[in-house]
Amino acid sequence: GDSVTQMEGPVTLSEEAFLTINCTYTATGYPSLFWYVQYPGEGLQLLLKATKADDKGSNKGFEATYRKETTSFHLEKGSVQVSDSAVYFCALSDRNDYKLSFGAGTTVTVRA
Amino acid sequence: DTAVSQTPKYLVTQMGNDKSIKCEQNLGHDTMYWYKQDSKKFLKIMFSYNNKELIINETVPNRFSPKSPDKAHLNLHINSLELGDSAVYFCASSQTTGLVSREQFFGPGTRLTVL
């Protein structure tokens, strides 16, 4: 079945550091890929998405590119802020399935 | 306007009790979901309804029963609560017909604590 593997946390960074969270997937079809963010005490929010190979999703300074050849969708941000401290989830949705398959989540803490 | 809302936000109860969590979405979506998030933040799909029809029913104890009175509402009733039911429960919705990406929109969560 479909699955998502993302790098384990926790990740602790200083402000203005570069952030990368690795995500790889396994899917039989042509999935759409997502990054969700969960701030402390809140629900999940869609951060960015990509629906086909080579698409780049971007939002709030975060970027991720859908790489079919490496089955990856790594999240990057060039300069993090304290307000980026959150749990980040990689997820995929197969067009033939109603489910979102989530990775285990990566906790990111940014220190001033 | 809140897109996906849940009530209550916090629920503290004793073992053996029965409780319900309500969810409403005003996005006009045709599909709604319940997820359970454990203490390690792992998210697990429990149920999904599409146009009031149950389409996903993962391996969940039958003490959990979803009910969808209409497309905009999906409630979760839990009988005979156990300590292991303590978690955060998230409702979500999506539009699954006519769209490729099917992103889901999440409610703020209900933190259930069973004592």
Side-chain angles (χ1 to χ4, degrees), chain A residues 34 36 38 49 97 99, chain B residues 37 56 101-104:
Chain A
F34 308 89
Y36 281 83
Q38 184 179 21
K49 68 179 182 182
D97 197 348
K99 285 195 295 190
Chain B
Q37 186 176 48
I56 296 175
S101 60
R102 296 185 176 181
E103 61 257 42
Q104 294 183 15

Side-chain angles (χ1 to χ4, degrees), chain B residues 1-50:
Chain B
D1 281 344
T2 303
V4 182
S5 60
Q6 295 178 229
T7 54
K9 189 165 173 63
Y10 300 96
L11 188 51
V12 181
T13 188
Q14 300 287 330
M15 268 198 312
N17 284 350
D18 304 338
K19 291 293 179 186
S20 292
I21 308 171
K22 296 187 175 182
C23 178
E24 176 180 1
Q25 55 96 1
N26 62 7
L27 297 167
H29 288 164
D30 59 6
T31 306
M32 296 184 72
Y33 310 80
W34 278 112
Y35 288 87
K36 179 180 180 180
Q37 186 176 48
D38 64 22
S39 58
K40 295 184 179 179
K41 304 292 187 184
F42 185 74
L43 279 159
K44 181 184 174 186
I45 181 79
M46 299 174 69
F47 302 102
S48 178
Y49 273 75
N50 174 257

Side-chain angles (χ1 to χ4, degrees), chain B residues 16-115:
Chain B
N17 284 350
D18 304 338
K19 291 293 179 186
S20 292
I21 308 171
K22 296 187 175 182
C23 178
E24 176 180 1
Q25 55 96 1
N26 62 7
L27 297 167
H29 288 164
D30 59 6
T31 306
M32 296 184 72
Y33 310 80
W34 278 112
Y35 288 87
K36 179 180 180 180
Q37 186 176 48
D38 64 22
S39 58
K40 295 184 179 179
K41 304 292 187 184
F42 185 74
L43 279 159
K44 181 184 174 186
I45 181 79
M46 299 174 69
F47 302 102
S48 178
Y49 273 75
N50 174 257
N51 288 316
K52 300 197 299 174
E53 179 186 350
L54 183 64
I55 54 169
I56 296 175
N57 186 357
E58 296 291 295
T59 308
V60 175
N62 57 16
R63 299 181 294 102
F64 290 79
S65 53
K67 281 192 173 50
S68 181
D70 55 56
K71 281 188 351 178
H73 296 84
L74 179 61
N75 304 323
L76 182 65
H77 188 76
I78 315 170
N79 288 326
S80 304
L81 278 155
E82 300 178 357
L83 293 176
D85 298 333
S86 296
V88 181
Y89 292 84
F90 286 103
C91 177
S93 72
S94 69
Q95 181 63 29
T96 55
T97 55
L99 289 180
V100 171
S101 60
R102 296 185 176 181
E103 61 257 42
Q104 294 183 15
F105 294 79
F106 284 76
T110 296
R111 181 174 293 277
L112 171 64
T113 303
V114 182
L115 303 174

